[in-house]
Amino acid sequence: MSTLVSRLRESLPDGAVLVDDDVTASYAHDMASFCPAGSPAAVVLPRTTEEVRHVLRVAHDLRVPVVPQGARTGLSGAANATDGCVVLSLTRMNRILEIDPVNRIAVVEPGVVNADLSKAVAAHGLCYPPDPSSWEQCTIGGNIGTGSGGLCCVKYGVTAEYVLGLEVVLADGRLLRTGRRTAKGVAGYDLTRLFVGSEGSLGVVVGATLALRPAPPPQLVLAAEFDSTAAAGEAVCRIMAGGHTPSMLELMDRTTLRAVNAMTRMGLPESTEALLLAAFDTPDPAADLARVGLLCEEAGASSVVPAEDAAESEMLLAARRTALPALEAVKGVTMIDDVCVGRSELGAFITGVERIAAEHDLTIGVVAHAGDGNTHPTVCFDARDPEESARARASFDAIMALGLELGGTITGEHGVGVLKKEWLERELGPVAMELHRGIKAAFDPLNILNPGKVF
Amino acid sequence: MSTLVSRLRESLPDGAVLVDDDVTASYAHDMASFCPAGSPAAVVLPRTTEEVRHVLRVAHDLRVPVVPQGARTGLSGAANATDGCVVLSLTRMNRILEIDPVNRIAVVEPGVVNADLSKAVAAHGLCYPPDPSSWEQCTIGGNIGTGSGGLCCVKYGVTAEYVLGLEVVLADGRLLRTGRRTAKGVAGYDLTRLFVGSEGSLGVVVGATLALRPAPPPQLVLAAEFDSTAAAGEAVCRIMAGGHTPSMLELMDRTTLRAVNAMTRMGLPESTEALLLAAFDTPDPAADLARVGLLCEEAGASSVVPAEDAAESEMLLAARRTALPALEAVKGVTMIDDVCVGRSELGAFITGVERIAAEHDLTIGVVAHAGDGNTHPTVCFDARDPEESARARASFDAIMALGLELGGTITGEHGVGVLKKEWLERELGPVAMELHRGIKAAFDPLNILNPGKVF
């Protein structure tokens, strides 16, 4: 048994340290394509903060990299193992410690599954808005590491806006508390936000105090069909410039609609170029849908269908939820881009992606959180075909370049990880990168924490 | 002429560098009591980013401290001069560069006055929510430096939530761009949020991209009187636990009500122990006020008066706006605390402040943004009386200690500055302070930027 494993086991219970190669290999990857992963020396499944501290102290002493993991639903390779690392899987630290309806906060361990928290707070009439597509698997710790978003963001914002305070184990095993339990607070630098989206490179989150909202009324959904993506983009602009605040504003292109039909026989309108789904969870959602429907018509919608009730809304949402699995079924594998542009650039961006798909002879479906300009161009390819895989990777990069040209960002909510780290400096520039390295050195001078990720 | 001044003037226009002692002395202080201030060597009033870069390059070369300033309405001494420093007043960089209703953003220079931005975006049907009491004087740059709040926060959050991206001149004169123009983005560490609330200690903000919201409908206000602060606190808990989202939820104690009456003859109910003002800017505010009025009655309100229209609402709000000037008039000078506690602790906190006032034989009025637990206990004292001044300072500290005991923070929205820097480590602990020093060293290794502030 290696020194690493024997020292890890000194203060950890039986079953907390896994070393069998087959088992550790199953922890090597998150869900991103094209991201290399190494072989972990061990996988540790701690149940307490003290156990996490022990792991970090040992790793720090022995200069062994530590890769923190949640449910490995990430799409950028940020949770991928590196050779000889300790994978620190936080999934067993999954207790909801407190739900406080007066102060509208929840205190949770990092391994709590997003959907479990949502259900638990719903029982108190509350809501934890961030809703990544993987919400039934992904963990709050992973959401914090990535800075996750979801369908809710157009009205309710991203994970970062719901993290009030953190407990973090630092690279050398020291315990840090950041932030607060109160609604407001500006004492010192905002260390809390610095950890959100830092992909485990600055510390290991072992506890989080989260802000909650009152549960909104059920949303009502409208579907609008368009003969061009430009018209759909125009509708998005009119809706947002018109002062509306939809609880959801999603767009699917023709490629995506076809894929959904092929998988589910939903009978979506394949001849249309874009389908827009708008939802409102206001006191009178039908009135809001009527106003937004009119704006869609003014932008050139060929059909506008407001749902009459929750059941019809659910049917329309099911189409959106099926989009990614359906695109995956096209060729077996997908690579999901995450470019966010200004809403006013949405039409130009989607047109540009169509051009990139044609140039690379690929199927690329676009689903987008249109209300906040966050698009997920999804490249479909056959991973067994090296030549097609190379074109897929090239198109992925072309899409990021297009996003930057249009003033956007390479990642709206999936993070940088391994997949986009060559691109980070292109977006941020050398001065910002130098500050990144300075911050990393202040938090993790030995570069123990998730090395080789982000930058 | 000193080397500093001659080098500053080399690349700055006439009138941009002020050295007359009487003039520079007028830039020495913000509005905080009990905060020492030194004599600046020069005051510089740049109009462009390039001019700011020049100032920083010179100061960096000569190892001269630079103190960035907005309108000096701050309440913690963060903008106070240190001896021999360059005061860098950003008030002439006051252009609104862009207002974009589709993407709901504004791009501004740091010297734009908060109220000027509010009015400009209102013309587009938009709203920039952060509304500190000093909104007619304070600048966006100052708001960002401090992490300002206001009355709006209970529904709309603080300044930090509206800053999407920044342009920052670093300590050595390099220009940094952080963040984005898009609604979402998680590319790299959140440098934007690190600057918000950093009180000019990490860089000089020379531009900001701000998020805007659709302008809400006009709010309608309700006033509720209580025979005890505990009952008023209970009403706040019931309102928030009941799932309501008021656009404002403010509390004034008896001391404050008396002071307002003394100044304005408003005839507010002096016999009551606490007055709660609740407002809604929802589609049907009267219905929301009715529901909240009922909760106030259930919590023991002796009187509940909903405004019937905008004019009545405005009258009630005027009382709240007069609170701080009225308390100032009691003894000539005030010291405004900024403790934020959980809403559930509001009653206990105000009772504790009453005890502290009695123990220190002082008049301390409490006004609070009750909806988010952010209180402003306001100590009234005669600054010409050294013994009373000492008691005032002692009571201020006792109030912060009480806030920390109740799980709160020493500052909800005013910042740390000079006034609370001894207290910061008590709140954050030694590990967080070490990380603060590490971040500061990464951004400003020579400690040029606003030295001696925050920590």
Side-chain angles (χ1 to χ4, degrees), chain A residues 354-376:
Chain A
E354 286 166 7
R355 194 193 65 236
I356 290 167
E359 283 168 4
H360 292 76
D361 189 20
L362 287 165
T363 300
I364 305 180
V366 178
V367 291
H369 310 310
D372 42 44
N374 193 179
T375 71
H376 296 308

Side-chain angles (χ1 to χ4, degrees), chain A residues 49 93 97 107-110 144 163 165-168 204-209:
Chain A
T49 295
M93 290 183 71
L97 302 172
V107 181
V108 303
E109 291 183 335
I144 291 170
V163 185
L166 293 172
E167 293 205 359
V168 181
V204 179
V205 170
V206 291
T209 302

Side-chain angles (χ1 to χ4, degrees), chain A residues 6 11 19 41 53 69 73 75 88 94 109 113 133-134 143 151 170 320 348 361 394 427-428 442:
Chain A
S6 62
S11 299
V19 294
R53 299 185 68 184
Q69 280 185 353
T73 52
L75 292 165
L88 188 57
N94 62 355
E109 291 183 335
V113 170
S133 295
S134 59
N143 295 170
L151 304 188
L170 297 175
R320 170 62 185 84
D361 189 20
E427 176 166 340
L428 302 185

Side-chain angles (χ1 to χ4, degrees), chain B residues 336-405:
Chain B
I336 304 174
D337 226 317
D338 179 39
V339 167
C340 189
V341 295
R343 329 179 156 103
S344 51
E345 307 299 330
L346 207 51
F349 179 76
I350 296 172
T351 305
V353 172
E354 285 166 8
R355 192 194 65 234
I356 290 167
E359 283 168 4
H360 293 76
D361 190 20
L362 287 164
T363 299
I364 305 180
V366 178
V367 291
H369 310 310
D372 40 45
N374 193 181
T375 70
H376 296 308
T378 302
V379 185
C380 307
F381 66 102
D382 181 348
R384 295 161 305 185
D385 179 343
E387 192 272 333
E388 185 166 285
S389 298
R391 278 186 281 124
R393 172 76 229 197
S395 74
F396 187 86
D397 288 347
I399 290 167
M400 284 194 285
L402 173 65
L404 290 183
E405 265 166 47

Side-chain angles (χ1 to χ4, degrees), chain A residues 83-251:
Chain A
D83 274 330
C85 78
V86 174
V87 163
L88 188 57
S89 170
L90 283 309
T91 49
R92 287 187 184 169
M93 290 183 71
N94 62 355
R95 292 179 304 162
I96 298 171
L97 302 172
E98 187 183 346
I99 295 171
D100 176 341
V102 170
N103 294 305
R104 291 184 185 163
I105 56 175
V107 181
V108 303
E109 291 183 335
V112 170
V113 170
N114 182 297
D116 291 342
L117 178 62
S118 295
K119 282 171 213 152
V121 305
H124 296 267
L126 293 164
C127 158
Y128 176 71
D131 59 347
S133 295
S134 59
W135 72 301
E136 288 176 303
Q137 290 89 44
C138 66
T139 64
I140 297 298
N143 295 170
I144 291 170
T146 310
S148 304
L151 304 188
C152 74
C153 304
V154 60
K155 181 163 184 179
Y156 295 109
V158 293
T159 296
E161 292 169 49
Y162 294 88
V163 185
L164 297 176
L166 293 172
E167 293 205 359
V168 181
V169 175
L170 297 175
D172 58 7
R174 284 180 303 166
L175 186 63
L176 169 73
R177 287 191 180 81
T178 75
R180 55 189 205 272
R181 288 172 58 93
T182 53
K184 290 158 77 178
V186 290
Y189 298 153
D190 194 342
L191 300 184
T192 305
R193 275 295 276 266
L194 196 54
F195 284 104
V196 178
S198 68
E199 304 185 9
S201 68
L202 299 178
V204 179
V205 170
V206 291
T209 302
L210 304 172
L212 306 172
R213 282 177 168 267
Q219 62 182 5
L220 212 54
V221 181
L222 167 149
E225 297 170 35
F226 295 87
D227 294 335
S228 74
T229 49
E234 175 61 23
V236 171
C237 292
R238 288 182 188 223
I239 291 167
M240 299 308 283
H244 298 283
T245 306
S247 52
M248 188 193 80
L249 189 55
E250 295 287 315
L251 185 149

